[in-house]
Amino acid sequence: MLKKIMVHTRRGVKFVVLFMIATFLIIGAIAFLYKPTYSVFINGEQVGYTENRTQLQHKINDYIENGEDGNENIAFVQIANLPEYKLCLLKKNIVANDDEIYNKIKEQGVTYYRYYAILDNQEEKIYVSKFEEAENIVKSLKEKKSTNMEHISIVEKYETEIKDLVSTEEAISKLYIQPAKTVTIANKNTSKYTATGSVNTAGKTSTAKANIGISLVRPVSGIITSRFGAGSSIRRSSHTGLDIATSTGTPIVAASSGTVTFAGYKGSYGNMIVVTHQNGVQTYYAHCSKLYAQVGQTVSQGQKIAAVGSTGNSTGPHLHLEVRVNGVAYNPQNYVY
């Protein structure tokens, strides 16, 4: 009996050994010919293979979170169809195509940018990169007692195209509206404002059209009563500007943003404000009844700076508008009206 048991035991051991050897040979053959990998599918369509699923997915996740152009305003990238992975055995002579798969993912990516709009009376005016910048702008406007503070708000934006972003200093300059106040009147009977700053009133003119590099808006609406270059019995030289007649007290707004470099009474011009812009461009606003801006003040395009009057050498209420480049007067109708 013992002998039979030993015989069966030896046979069993031989079978196990042979089975293990066969299994080892089969596994070795598979390992020699094949390698474990992942088949990758996008929207049900096989697009390739990857040997390192974790590494490929990490690269895709990083693209979704940060994009690829290095823009700090990227909020995320929206991917319609993320890849699916299925484990398989792949012949060793077949190469994985991680880069091709990644590029297919990128092709369907939609980039969203995060930035902040500053609104004035519910109208988007300025765009900045960070919320902290927007907060500092609002804080500065409050400290400066800007008259539009009650209408200033901040909105976080997510868009596929980013707006032109500005610096904090530029944003404050464009949004700030100084409380209206007049310069000290030297003589109340004649309504002459004390002159501050400097101004060039030479009669040098040009009929050419200079490239001023900025856009202008109409300072007032009214009727043009005297055009550039016209002669008149009330002036010694040809007209250096454009006269727009309207009622006394009509608000005059800055034709473009800039800095006030002259304010006050200037002979035949009467009460006048000069705003200096970029590229050597200046705009003159003459015969005013009231002045609301002071020398050194930064004004925004469309900001009220004066009121129409008939001071100086004037036959009735109107705005005398000049556009000068490096001191030479050009026809304002080349740029506005």
Side-chain angles (χ1 to χ4, degrees):
M1 183 67 178
L2 180 60
K3 185 177 180 180
K4 288 182 179 181
I5 293 172
M6 292 179 66
V7 170
H8 286 300
T9 299
R10 282 197 297 272
R11 287 177 179 175
V13 170
K14 287 180 181 180
F15 176 78
V16 170
V17 170
L18 290 173
F19 177 79
M20 291 178 64
I21 291 173
T23 301
F24 178 78
L25 290 173
I26 292 171
I27 293 173
I30 292 173
F32 180 76
L33 298 173
Y34 297 89
K35 56 185 175 182
T37 188
Y38 290 92
S39 182
V40 183
F41 296 82
I42 298 177
N43 199 25
E45 178 185 354
Q46 185 180 8
V47 294
Y49 302 93
T50 179
E51 297 179 23
N52 194 327
R53 167 186 172 179
T54 301
Q55 180 176 311
L56 176 59
Q57 188 60 49
H58 177 77
K59 187 176 181 180
I60 293 170
N61 291 343
D62 184 66
Y63 170 65
I64 291 173
E65 293 177 6
N66 304 304
E68 264 200 343
D69 63 5
N71 190 319
E72 64 177 359
N73 289 101
I74 292 178
F76 61 89
V77 178
Q78 186 179 59
I79 302 295
N81 299 290
L82 290 173
E84 297 179 354
Y85 304 90
K86 292 183 180 179
L87 184 62
C88 63
L89 292 174
L90 189 67
K91 287 185 178 181
K92 286 192 173 182
N93 62 347
I94 299 177
V95 179
N97 58 332
D98 293 49
D99 290 340
E100 184 179 343
I101 295 169
Y102 178 69
N103 288 331
K104 285 184 178 293
I105 293 292
K106 285 174 56 182
E107 286 174 4
Q108 58 171 314
V110 178
T111 302
Y112 282 83
Y113 298 90
R114 180 198 297 112
Y115 58 97
Y116 297 87
I118 301 180
L119 285 65
D120 186 349
N121 201 23
Q122 300 304 312
E123 181 182 354
E124 294 180 10
K125 293 288 189 180
I126 296 293
Y127 305 96
V128 295
S129 177
K130 298 178 181 179
F131 182 69
E132 292 79 7
E133 291 179 82
E135 280 191 317
N136 288 335
I137 291 165
V138 173
K139 181 180 178 182
S140 295
L141 291 173
K142 285 182 178 179
E143 291 174 349
K144 291 175 176 288
K145 294 181 170 45
S146 181
T147 57
N148 58 350
M149 271 312 306
E150 296 297 325
H151 306 290
I152 296 292
S153 57
I154 303 171
V155 174
E156 187 176 44
K157 305 283 291 185
Y158 289 86
E159 302 287 349
T160 55
E161 292 185 5
I162 195 166
K163 301 284 188 179
D164 291 332
L165 306 178
V166 303
S167 66
T168 299
E169 294 75 15
E170 184 178 354
I172 294 171
S173 174
K174 289 184 176 181
L175 290 170
Y176 176 68
I177 300 178
Q178 185 178 25
K181 59 181 180 180
T182 59
V183 182
T184 303
I185 297 175
N187 186 327
K188 293 185 178 180
N189 294 326
T190 58
S191 298
K192 293 182 180 179
Y193 282 68
T194 301
T196 56
S198 60
V199 61
N200 176 8
T201 56
K204 188 175 182 181
T205 63
S206 173
T207 56
K209 181 179 180 180
N211 181 13
I212 63 175
I214 60 174
S215 61
L216 304 181
V217 299
R218 292 185 176 186
V220 296
S221 295
I223 300 172
I224 296 175
T225 54
S226 181
R227 299 184 185 276
F228 179 81
S232 172
S233 60
I234 66 170
R235 67 175 71 94
R236 290 178 296 177
S237 59
S238 60
H239 201 203
T240 53
L242 186 70
D243 288 349
I244 306 99
T246 186
S247 57
T248 299
T250 300
I252 300 171
V253 302
S256 187
S257 58
T259 303
V260 176
T261 52
F262 178 85
Y265 196 87
K266 186 64 176 178
S268 62
Y269 283 87
N271 296 320
M272 178 171 66
I273 279 184
V274 175
V275 179
T276 298
H277 314 283
Q278 58 187 7
N279 305 324
V281 180
Q282 292 181 307
T283 48
Y284 291 30
Y285 311 82
H287 306 309
C288 304
S289 61
K290 293 182 180 179
L291 305 181
Y292 300 131
Q294 301 180 61
V295 170
Q297 178 181 337
T298 300
V299 296
S300 303
Q301 186 176 61
Q303 179 178 335
K304 183 170 69 173
I305 56 174
V308 170
S310 186
T311 56
N313 191 2
S314 171
T315 58
H318 71 282
L319 167 66
H320 171 83
L321 172 67
E322 290 188 15
V323 176
R324 293 197 178 221
V325 182
N326 297 322
V328 179
Y330 289 83
N331 188 353
Q333 287 191 280
N334 285 332
Y335 316 104
V336 67
Y337 294 103

